[in-house]
Amino acid sequence: MKSYQLVICGGGSTYTLPMIKTLCDFREVFPLWSIVLFDVDPDKQHMVYEAAKVMVEEAMGGVEVRECYTLDAAFADADFVFMQIRAGGLRMREQDEKIPLRHGCIGQETCGAGGFAYGMRSVPQVAEIVRAVRAQSPRAWIINYSNPAAIVAEATKRLFPGDRRLIHLCDMPIAIMDAFAESLGMKRQDLTPRYFGLNHFGWFTNLYDPRGKDLLPAIRTMLKSGSAAPEELKGDAGWVETFAQLGEMVRDFDGEGYVPNTYLQYYLYPEKMAAHMDPRYTRANFVMDHRVAHVRQMCEYIVEHGSIRGSGLEKGVHGTYIVELASSIIRNENRTFIIITPNNGIIPNLPPEAMVEVPCLVNANGVTPLHMGNIPTFYKGLLENQYAYECLTVDALLNGDRDAALKALVLNRTVTDTGRAKGILEDLIRANRDYWQVK
């Protein structure tokens, strides 16, 4: 069977080593001859690269591992590109979270004003990478899971129209399905979802088992009783609170029998969620204090011992759904994935140009969305409002348009007040002056 060259953009990410561990575990379904790491931070990437070489040699002897720091060198002869960049790094994530909180709004990296600022930073870097890939390897499959995926997808739709080998997807629907599958005593791969929305703004309508039985009613019952959180997450207070809030959303919005994406807690309960956030110590601070240090220690251990045994990574997996997607492409498997794609009538009562997140069949020809039909008024109204915010955000970036930026923030359900939006925007402009400007 043919083997492939994979480039991981964001090679210095804390998620890169677990991703490479997954690639090692799935080497039979996604065979590689070369793994290339690309990052703009040499120090972070080199540490990961040294550990990755040890891991790949141990598990997939003969597979080449390289590190690159220039676009041209990274993407020559690429078959697949996995994109997981964080524009501005964790320090700018900290600003994304803390600036809105100073104004009494949600401080979150992808939702609300934080997601607005992050999207404005992400799009130029993603676009630069896509152009470089297309110049060096026109037929490479680009699988983007960089956040905020909704804004990135809307922008790349405009900048690279008709590029069917540029695929956007998110791990959150998959993580939710993993949790549901565990609660049901099943594997996520045995469940077939029906889902609609925008990225981080969607709802499950059905969840079928291999015999065609809809298991979503059982999940709803478990959520209402507080028993749907998987055991491995019950030690994490943040996840316990997230599943508790998911249960509340199911109880509050019970009419259609849908189950929302967990991110909707920020949009449907913005005041409650903001009140529970610490403006002095946010999730970014936790990640910098814990996960970054943990990954550094793991890398040092692997290099020192020449093995991943004893490093804590032996059982770790990350991004299995991304590897499964690549496998479905190269093996023409026609598997179902939840993907961000142009609407074009999938949901007839939403704008045809909207970048919706829906189940799609994936095979050697790319992505084929499944028709969802019209959606009820409540969900239609929420999605049209959110999509307008996303469009105005991209307008603000591409045109340097302050008016569009302000309107975007006013439309966002986590902000809404014009005076508050003006104050947040001024602070975000100052914090992001090295990344984007609006006039």
Side-chain angles (χ1 to χ4, degrees), residues 54 130 169 340 371:
V54 172
V130 173
L169 77 164
I340 306 165
H371 182 77

Side-chain angles (χ1 to χ4, degrees), residues 79-385:
D79 296 301
F80 284 84
V81 176
F82 289 178
M83 193 159 10
Q84 56 177 21
I85 67 169
R86 177 177 289 282
L90 290 170
R91 289 300 176 188
M92 289 307 299
R93 174 180 176 174
E94 182 182 17
Q95 295 301 307
D96 295 342
E97 294 172 350
K98 290 184 175 179
I99 288 173
L101 285 170
R102 291 204 297 266
H103 294 267
C105 295
I106 293 290
Q108 209 278 336
E109 64 166 330
T110 66
C111 300
F116 166 87
Y118 186 14
M120 296 273 279
R121 291 196 308 274
S122 290
V123 168
Q125 293 190 12
V126 168
E128 182 181 30
I129 290 170
V130 173
R131 291 189 187 99
V133 174
R134 290 293 169 252
Q136 296 294 320
S137 300
R139 294 188 56 77
W141 293 95
I142 304 173
I143 302 175
N144 174 60
Y145 46 102
S146 304
N147 278 319
I151 293 169
V152 171
E154 171 63 25
T156 55
K157 176 197 71 178
R158 303 186 197 183
L159 296 171
F160 307 99
D163 191 334
R164 290 181 53 82
R165 288 177 175 250
L166 171 56
I167 300 173
H168 301 277
L169 77 164
C170 173
D171 66 345
M172 202 61 232
I174 300 300
I176 295 170
M177 287 179 61
D178 277 330
F180 292 168
E182 183 177 322
S183 298
L184 294 165
M186 301 178 67
K187 294 181 179 180
R188 186 237 322 148
Q189 292 83 352
D190 294 329
L191 300 175
T192 301
R194 291 296 178 267
Y195 180 97
F196 73 88
L198 308 171
N199 180 242
H200 287 183
F201 207 99
W203 291 263
F204 289 92
T205 65
N206 307 92
L207 198 62
Y208 296 111
D209 71 7
R211 296 183 179 181
K213 181 181 178 181
D214 187 2
L215 302 179
L216 202 64
I219 289 293
R220 287 172 54 79
T221 299
M222 296 171 75
L223 285 168
K224 290 178 181 180
S225 68
S227 61
E231 286 298 323
E232 64 178 308
L233 297 180
K234 289 182 178 177
D236 185 322
W239 275 109
V240 171
E241 291 174 6
T242 294
F243 272 87
Q245 189 62 46
L246 184 55
E248 182 174 346
M249 284 192 280
V250 168
R251 291 191 296 272
D252 286 345
F253 301 96
D254 202 20
E256 289 79 18
Y258 300 163
V259 171
N261 189 304
T262 54
Y263 276 93
L264 277 157
Q265 65 184 331
Y266 299 113
Y267 296 104
L268 298 178
Y269 307 86
E271 294 182 7
K272 176 182 178 181
M273 299 306 297
H276 282 86
M277 293 178 171
D278 185 348
R280 296 162 300 179
Y281 193 87
T282 64
R283 182 68 181 177
N285 297 121
F286 179 84
V287 171
M288 286 186 281
D289 290 346
H290 296 280
R291 192 167 74 214
V292 172
H294 174 69
V295 170
R296 179 174 291 277
Q297 292 169 1
M298 185 183 295
C299 290
E300 291 172 350
Y301 180 96
I302 291 170
V303 172
E304 179 182 350
H305 291 82
S307 172
I308 69 167
R309 291 188 293 273
S311 68
L313 194 62
E314 302 98 313
K315 297 181 181 179
V317 291
H318 169 70
T320 56
Y321 66 104
I322 302 166
V323 179
E324 290 166 358
L325 178 74
S327 173
S328 196
I329 291 171
I330 64 175
R331 294 170 177 263
N332 199 34
E333 291 174 336
N334 274 311
R335 296 173 66 179
T336 302
F337 296 85
I338 296 174
I339 289 175
I340 306 165
T341 187
N343 184 20
N344 291 336
I346 300 165
I347 305 173
N349 59 340
L350 286 183
E353 70 277 10
M355 295 297 288
V356 295
E357 192 171 52
V358 294
C360 301
L361 295 178
V362 177
N363 56 35
N365 295 311
V367 171
T368 302
L370 301 180
H371 182 77
M372 294 300 297
N374 288 333
I375 58 175
T377 301
F378 175 70
Y379 307 94
K380 178 176 182 288
L382 285 172
L383 288 169
E384 287 177 331
N385 182 89

